[in-house]
Amino acid sequence: MLKEFSLEGKVAIVTGAGRGIGRGIVLALAEAGADIVAVARTENEINEVAREVKKMGRRGLAVPTDITKEDQVQRMVEKTISEFGKIDILVNNAGAITAVMPLVPLPHLGDLFPKAMSEEEWRSDFDVDLIGTFLCTRAVGPYLIKQRSGKIINITSSLAIRGFDYNAPYCASKAAKTRFTQTLAREWARYNINVNAIGPGLTHTSMTDQYIFSNEKVREKHLGKIPLRRAGTPRDIGLLTVYLASDASNWMTGQSLYIDGGESIP
C-alpha cells in the first residue's frame, strides 16, 4: 500500500454505520488501518459492525446515537475521546428514508398520491442530513481545530446536482449538504482540516434491493440510465472514502465527488 493511503493509527467516527453504504465505509476504513466508532440508532446492527472491525485487528466501538439529538451527539463524541483519546475522521453518512411523493396531489397521477406532503415528511430529510451533520460536525470540530488536523467527509448524493421526480426534500437536503461542505472547507482550511463530500448514485443496498432490484422491470429501467450499466456497491463508496480520509487527499478540500457510473454526466 502507498503510505499516503494508510489510515494506521487514525480514529474514525462513521454515522449511519449499521448497514448499506455506512457499513461499507466502516469496513473499508478499517481495512486501511483505522479504528472505528460506529454510530446509528439501531444498536444490534452497529454492535455487529464493531465485531467485524475487531476481527480485522482494529479497535471498534459501537455507540447507539440519534444524531438529531444534541445531548446524544455530545455523549457520543465524549465517549470516543474517552476510549481513543482523539478523533481524526468524521464521516457524516446517516440519512433519512425519504418520502417519495409530490408536494401536492397532481392530476396526471390520478389517485396515486391523494394527499399533500406533510411538514413531518419534508423535515425528515433535513433533520438527519442537515441537523445531524451540523450537530456531529460542531461536536467534533473543537478537537480537530485544537490538533490542527482532520478529515470530514459528508455523504450526499448525485441528486444534489439534478432534480428527480417526487424527491424534492431529498434533493434539496443533499444540495444543502454540498454547500455546507464548501463553506466549512473554507472556514477550517487554516487549521489543516479537509472537508469534502461524496455523492453516490444508485447503490445496491438492502433498501434499494427492496424498492428497485427485486423488480426486474424497475431494475433495468434504472440501470439503463447509467453509462456503466451497473449499480454501485457499498465498497465502491468505501474505497473513495478511504482516499478522502487519507493523506493522499491532503490538497483537496471543499469538493464533491460524484460516484454514480457516469449517470450525472451532462
Side-chain angles (χ1 to χ4, degrees):
M1 179 188 291
L2 294 171
K3 62 181 176 63
E4 290 86 356
F5 286 88
S6 174
L7 298 179
E8 195 75 37
K10 302 293 186 181
V11 176
I13 296 174
V14 182
T15 69
R19 55 187 168 181
I21 288 175
R23 180 178 176 275
I25 288 172
V26 164
L27 298 181
L29 292 176
E31 188 176 339
D35 296 321
I36 302 294
V37 180
V39 176
R41 288 182 299 180
T42 309
E43 187 170 1
N44 65 312
E45 291 181 346
I46 54 175
N47 283 338
E48 177 58 33
V49 168
R51 283 193 288 269
E52 292 185 65
V53 168
K54 291 174 183 177
K55 288 179 182 177
M56 299 169 72
R58 309 301 174 189
R59 291 184 293 171
L61 176 67
V63 185
T65 306
D66 181 344
I67 64 166
T68 67
K69 307 298 183 184
E70 182 178 3
D71 59 336
Q72 293 189 34
V73 170
Q74 196 60 45
R75 282 197 298 269
M76 177 270 291
V77 171
E78 290 170 357
K79 191 167 185 178
T80 300
I81 294 297
S82 175
E83 182 77 17
F84 296 105
K86 65 170 184 170
I87 300 165
D88 300 292
I89 301 155
L90 170 64
V91 182
N92 287 307
N93 166 70
I97 299 176
T98 188
V100 180
M101 61 186 298
L103 262 65
V104 297
L106 298 172
H108 73 276
L109 295 178
D111 296 327
L112 188 59
F113 297 103
K115 296 181 180 179
M117 182 182 294
S118 69
E119 184 177 344
E120 181 181 2
E121 288 165 332
W122 175 267
R123 284 183 179 274
S124 64
D125 284 282
F126 285 84
D127 283 349
V128 178
D129 262 327
L130 294 181
I131 299 299
T133 293
F134 157 69
L135 290 175
C136 290
T137 305
R138 187 181 65 174
V140 166
Y143 297 98
L144 303 186
I145 291 168
K146 184 177 180 179
Q147 69 192 20
R148 300 186 74 87
S149 68
K151 303 278 187 170
I152 295 175
I153 301 143
N154 296 320
I155 307 303
T156 62
S157 168
S158 62
L159 296 184
I161 54 173
R162 57 192 177 92
F164 197 77
D165 292 353
Y166 320 130
N167 277 264
Y170 183 85
C171 295
S173 66
K174 297 300 185 184
K177 201 170 180 180
T178 300
R179 292 294 176 261
F180 174 80
T181 298
Q182 293 174 327
T183 301
L184 201 68
R186 294 179 65 92
E187 291 181 9
W188 290 8
R190 68 185 60 199
Y191 300 104
N192 197 34
I193 299 168
N194 303 76
V195 188
N196 291 292
I198 296 174
L202 178 62
T203 306
H204 198 159
T205 65
S206 58
M207 185 175 70
T208 56
D209 191 64
Q210 179 182 355
Y211 294 106
I212 294 174
F213 293 98
S214 60
N215 184 310
E216 182 178 359
K217 188 174 181 180
V218 174
R219 179 179 69 245
E220 294 308 312
K221 177 182 178 181
H222 281 274
L223 294 181
K225 298 176 182 178
I226 301 172
L228 287 180
R229 292 297 189 271
R230 76 166 178 90
T233 66
R235 183 164 176 82
D236 287 324
I237 315 307
L239 293 173
L240 182 52
T241 306
V242 168
Y243 167 68
L244 291 178
S246 73
D247 288 346
S249 64
N250 279 352
W251 206 46
M252 175 179 288
T253 197
Q255 303 304 307
S256 293
L257 305 180
Y258 296 99
I259 178 169
D260 60 1
E263 189 174 5
S264 61
I265 296 170

